[in-house]
Amino acid sequence: IPLWNQLRAAILGLPLLVLPCVETSALGALFLAAASQAPDLRARYLASHDTTLLLPDPAMQAAYAPLADRFRAASDWYQARP
């Protein structure tokens, strides 16, 4: 499992479902587009493909928390500019 995915789970503090698909943005767009016509498409996809659930690593969360806080502060500052 790539380090990037482990970092995302740790920094966000949320479980991360890793899909075997490389084009996850396109897949997400497909799920949204099909939601009204095939509401079970996402569930069928997940049932038929191997996925990995990454839980946040507490040690990694602690190590990256100061950097994540700095990023959030900078992002808040940037968004608040006129």
Side-chain angles (χ1 to χ4, degrees), residues 17-44:
L17 185 64
V18 181
L19 304 175
C21 175
V22 176
E23 295 294 336
T24 54
S25 296
L27 185 61
L30 170 68
F31 292 153
L32 286 173
S36 65
Q37 301 298 316
D40 64 335
L41 180 64
R42 180 179 177 270
R44 288 188 313 191

Side-chain angles (χ1 to χ4, degrees), residues 10-11 18 21-22 26-27 29 31-32 43 45-47 51 56-58 69 81:
I11 290 171
V18 181
C21 175
V22 176
L27 185 61
F31 292 153
L32 286 173
Y45 176 87
L46 294 176
T51 59
D57 179 340
D69 291 341
R81 293 179 325 141

Side-chain angles (χ1 to χ4, degrees), residues 61-74:
Q61 276 184 291
Y64 284 95
L67 293 173
D69 291 341
R70 287 179 62 192
F71 174 80
R72 287 185 192 99

